[in-house]
Amino acid sequence: MTFNYKDIRKDFPILDQKVNNRPWIYFDNAATSQRPLVVVEKIHEFSLQTNANIHRGTHFHAIKTTEAYENARDIVKEFLHAKEREEIIFTHGTTESINLVARSFCERFLSEGDEIIVTEMEHHANIVPWQMACERHHAKLKVLPFADNGNLETDLLESLISSRTKILAIAHVSNTLGTVNPIKEIIRIAHNHNIPVLVDGAQSVPHITIDVQDLDCDFFAFSGHKIYGPTGIGVLYGKRAWLDKMPPFLGGGEMIDKVTFEKTTFNELPHKFEAGTPHYVGAIGLGSAIEYIRKIGLENIAAYEHQLLTYASDKMKELGGMKFFGESPNKTGVICFQLDQIHPFDLGTLLDQLGIAVRTGRLCADPVMDHYEVTAMTRASFSFYNTMEEIDRFIDSLIRIQKMF
Ligand code: PMP
């Protein structure tokens, strides 16, 4: 399949609609992506033809559903280039994946006086679970800052690391600044001190080819809905060496080996971390979304999105009164900005009236707001189904709103 955005638009019929009497422009892709027809159809077909609870039935549909679910695990394993399929755990999303590690890893490895490092640009999902773990275990959270241009102050990492550092948790790509962090280098530094690294891949998987073995990360988390798949499904990759040592996260069916009232023994990986009936329909939908983007090619997607980013940034710069948050030379198609003194909520509402969806507010990243001393931002985020014409209309709309104020 060659990359032609006009063909691609046909895969996303949801984009072909009017909002407030104007063709809808969806620039809120960092919050959630739209699903292509193949994914919607896959879920629909599957729900019409095959359904039974997995792993515990000997009948036809139980076996077929189990096979489809486990096939989705294989697709994810290939996609992340994990060594073993057992290292792929299905969760409800990035948030749950991080909580799983923060709860389970910390229960086993974090003690009073220990330290955890996160960065200043994290989404709340990669701050709060660690903060909660620190409170439970009387440990300390340390923060690697970023510079005003949106680049991490990687040089300071060594000075934050101590003999008490137990884990480092970092976003591959920031959801506000769009910065692609040098995680391979950061993982190398952490590993020199025997510190494992969790990578929050929520914003990187839709744009960057991931090879967890090459990165050598210890954990990698992402969500299905940001990668053209369904909501309610996500992934945690973990190196077997860690997952084997970590206690289960949730207790219940599926994650057990044998239960007696005196003692319960636990199932093998990955089931040890998949308590209860999993969202198998979601996993199957995610598998289909991954196959879809693999056909298009993440390199093609990234190259086209980069064109959108450059085109939009250049045009926005031409508007007077434009301030950007996050100007790293290495960033994905995310632009956070402030236009004149127009409050982001007003700007977002007016853009919506002109048929354009952007995100406004604190973007689940209060520390980033605090860094720039603002209470809110406006974020436009692009996907490979967006077009240059849409950016032109976005710019015209910004000019129109600017004139109103
Ligand atoms: N991390 C980052 C960087 C994100 O952008 C998001 C979603 N905005 C999350 C974590 C949380 O993802 P989810 O809500 O799908 O669990």
Side-chain angles (χ1 to χ4, degrees), residues 56-67:
R56 41 194 113 149
T58 48
H59 61 84
F60 180 80
H61 276 282
I63 294 166
K64 266 193 100 170
T65 313
T66 303
E67 279 171 4

Side-chain angles (χ1 to χ4, degrees), residues 126 139 405:
N126 203 24
F405 277 81

Side-chain angles (χ1 to χ4, degrees), residues 170-240:
I170 178 173
H172 193 176
V173 171
S174 155
N175 70 313
T176 45
L177 310 169
T179 314
V180 181
N181 286 319
I183 50 164
K184 200 169 169 181
E185 168 66 2
I186 287 170
I187 292 165
R188 195 188 56 74
I189 296 171
H191 283 181
N192 282 344
H193 298 266
N194 294 322
I195 299 164
V197 179
L198 175 138
V199 177
D200 172 354
Q203 296 292 343
S204 63
V205 279
H207 317 285
I208 299 171
T209 302
I210 306 296
D211 182 333
V212 288
Q213 292 185 74
D214 179 54
L215 289 173
D216 202 23
C217 55
D218 300 272
F219 302 99
F220 189 95
F222 75 92
S223 302
H225 69 99
K226 296 206 199 266
I227 187 171
Y228 314 104
T231 51
I233 187 78
V235 169
L236 173 69
Y237 157 82
K239 279 185 185 163
R240 179 186 273 280

Side-chain angles (χ1 to χ4, degrees), residues 35 243 312 355:
R35 287 182 281 280
L243 294 177

